[in-house]
Amino acid sequence: MDYHLALNWPDFLQRYWQKRPVVIKRGFANFIDPISPDELAGLAMESEVDSRLVSHLDGKWQVSHGPFESYDHMGESNWSLLVQAVNHWHEPTAALMRPFRALPDWRVDDLMISFSVPGGGVGPHLDQYDVFIIQGIGRRRWRVGEKTPMKQHCPHPDLLQVDPFTAIIDEELESGDILYIPPGFPHEGYSLENAMNYSVGFRAPSARELISGFADFVLSRESGSQRYADPDVPARASPAEILPQELDSMREMMLALINDPVQLREWFGEFITQPRHELDIAAPEPPYQPDEIYDALAQGDTLTRLGGLRVLRIGEEVFVNGEKVESPHRPALNALADAIELNAQHFGDALDDPSFLATLAALINSGYWYFTD
């Protein structure tokens, strides 16, 4: 299914992106839900899928984590089922991510889907990332407050809620409406009837995550082995003193690793293409041989990228799921990064090179791309 987003992207980026929340009425005209509540409930029964049930009864918040065996104990009001990264597991929902490729792929994270009964929600809270919330079936009321330092409290450790706030947006969303919320704006939504919501979330790595990820990369490569040296050790008034120039020298040693452009590029390509949630990888059995792939593409078959697979390009280098893909055929590699569906024309003359076919076969046999008629 193709979804067409009625949004003036240049105007939106200038006026709203990371600046102000906004409701986009009929962002998706004649919206059709790509998944049913029963299908979503079924996914939450799978151990590989990250899911939660959130309820608010008698003034108390309760959170339970999947996989779930049954929902018979849930009542008819005041609860929600939330499932992360549904686009990894349900192919039709992956199509809902494509209209947001006007923004950089590396910033897009995953698609969280919630089903809520009347009164269902997770309370007032803050997110530290951008999110587009698409209304599916049913109606849901949303309130968004001004961006101000909000005190978080934890009625439940899994719910980082905030104090009540004055709303600058207070609207009822209907099918196809979209609510965009930048980081730091408190918000809450609760269903007026059985409703589905689709949240397209964006990555916003913290400095802590970046430093930790880079440190792991350095350790795995066994780089940074240079040791501190001071052949002209300076004199000091006290042997207990660490001099400013010594701290400067150690900082320069550390920065030299980050300032290496080749190393920084390789690390970030690997780091940012690793998914935060599991992928629904199903390697073909038996594995494809390179000549079988050539024949299938020549006959007009299409390769489709696995939902949630992160394929990104830095300069002339392409990274897939945490690994760099090596090949001199840059246009073909660019096609892997740019296109969700690929045919023989995307690869051009690269298909005549046995080494490229072997590389493509390795990617397909890893379950990253699969053939569709």
Side-chain angles (χ1 to χ4, degrees):
M1 182 181 299
D2 291 330
Y3 289 96
H4 300 285
L5 178 56
L7 181 61
N8 181 329
W9 278 107
D11 179 71
F12 171 81
L13 293 174
Q14 181 180 18
R15 297 175 60 189
Y16 299 108
W17 176 252
Q18 298 217 323
K19 303 174 188 70
R20 303 289 299 169
V22 64
V23 172
I24 306 163
K25 298 297 291 184
R26 295 293 182 184
F28 289 108
N30 304 313
F31 182 78
I32 297 175
D33 290 75
I35 190 171
S36 69
D38 285 344
E39 289 175 300
L40 188 70
L43 275 179
M45 293 180 171
E46 302 294 333
S47 59
E48 300 88 353
V49 178
D50 184 3
S51 59
R52 293 177 294 159
L53 274 170
V54 180
S55 62
H56 188 214
L57 300 171
D58 301 324
K60 295 183 179 180
W61 290 94
Q62 297 291 334
V63 181
S64 55
H65 294 266
F68 301 106
E69 295 182 358
S70 172
Y71 305 94
D72 294 340
H73 61 291
M74 305 303 294
E76 297 183 358
S77 64
N78 299 324
W79 63 268
S80 296
L81 171 66
L82 301 93
V83 185
Q84 291 288 156
V86 179
N87 56 307
H88 293 197
W89 302 93
H90 187 267
E91 182 180 354
T93 64
L96 199 50
M97 306 288 285
R98 297 177 191 178
F100 297 94
R101 293 191 79 198
L103 294 160
D105 281 352
W106 79 267
R107 289 282 272 116
V108 179
D109 196 358
D110 69 342
L111 180 69
M112 189 274 286
I113 301 180
S114 67
F115 169 75
S116 302
V117 298
V122 298
H125 63 283
L126 282 175
D127 293 321
Q128 297 303 327
Y129 53 85
D130 300 89
V131 63
F132 291 87
I133 302 172
I134 305 159
Q135 183 65 45
I137 58 171
R139 295 175 300 125
R140 193 176 178 108
R141 181 184 174 191
W142 283 95
R143 300 177 67 252
V144 184
E146 188 60 81
K147 185 176 184 178
T148 54
M150 299 288 291
K151 180 182 177 182
Q152 286 191 333
H153 65 280
C154 295
H156 190 284
D158 288 343
L159 298 174
L160 298 178
Q161 296 181 349
V162 297
D163 292 332
F165 55 85
T166 301
I168 58 173
I169 289 178
D170 188 345
E171 289 205 33
E172 181 180 310
L173 265 60
E174 299 178 324
S175 182
D177 293 343
I178 302 171
L179 171 61
Y180 164 70
I181 308 174
F185 285 80
H187 54 278
E188 65 173 334
Y190 57 89
S191 289
L192 304 174
E193 56 193 17
N194 288 357
M196 297 279 282
N197 283 96
Y198 304 83
S199 298
V200 180
F202 287 75
R203 283 197 173 187
S206 66
R208 181 170 59 244
E209 290 175 278
L210 296 175
I211 291 172
S212 175
F214 186 72
D216 290 341
F217 176 87
V218 168
L219 290 172
S220 68
R221 294 297 193 280
E222 297 185 356
S223 56
S225 58
Q226 176 188 355
R227 290 186 176 273
Y228 178 80
D230 52 0
D232 300 314
V233 58
R236 65 207 70 205
S238 166
E241 186 178 8
I242 299 172
L243 298 179
Q245 59 264 41
E246 292 171 324
L247 284 175
D248 290 343
S249 295
M250 283 181 280
R251 184 178 67 249
E252 288 168 6
M253 284 177 59
M254 297 168 69
L255 289 176
L257 291 172
I258 295 177
N259 288 335
D260 180 339
V262 174
Q263 184 161 251
L264 185 69
R265 186 170 61 244
E266 294 229 350
W267 158 69
F268 193 66
E270 294 181 9
F271 170 83
I272 204 63
T273 55
Q274 295 174 20
R276 295 195 308 112
H277 300 276
E278 288 193 48
L279 297 171
D280 186 18
I281 293 177
E285 286 293 342
Y288 283 97
Q289 297 301 312
D291 60 329
E292 294 176 308
I293 294 171
Y294 181 93
D295 291 342
L297 290 169
Q299 293 168 9
D301 288 354
T302 298
L303 279 173
T304 299
R305 183 189 298 181
L306 180 68
L309 184 73
R310 298 179 68 80
V311 188
L312 298 167
R313 184 172 67 244
I314 301 178
E316 294 186 344
E317 296 177 336
V318 170
F319 297 84
V320 177
N321 200 38
E323 297 181 359
K324 184 169 71 172
V325 180
E326 301 280 3
S327 174
H329 296 281
R330 297 302 170 195
L333 287 184
N334 291 345
L336 286 174
D338 293 338
I340 303 297
E341 296 181 339
L342 297 155
N343 56 42
Q345 292 182 342
H346 286 95
F347 298 115
D349 295 341
L351 293 178
D352 297 324
D353 183 349
S355 67
F356 178 80
L357 269 180
T359 297
L360 186 58
L363 294 170
I364 294 171
N365 290 330
S366 295
Y368 298 159
W369 278 267
Y370 56 92
F371 279 108
T372 52
D373 296 331

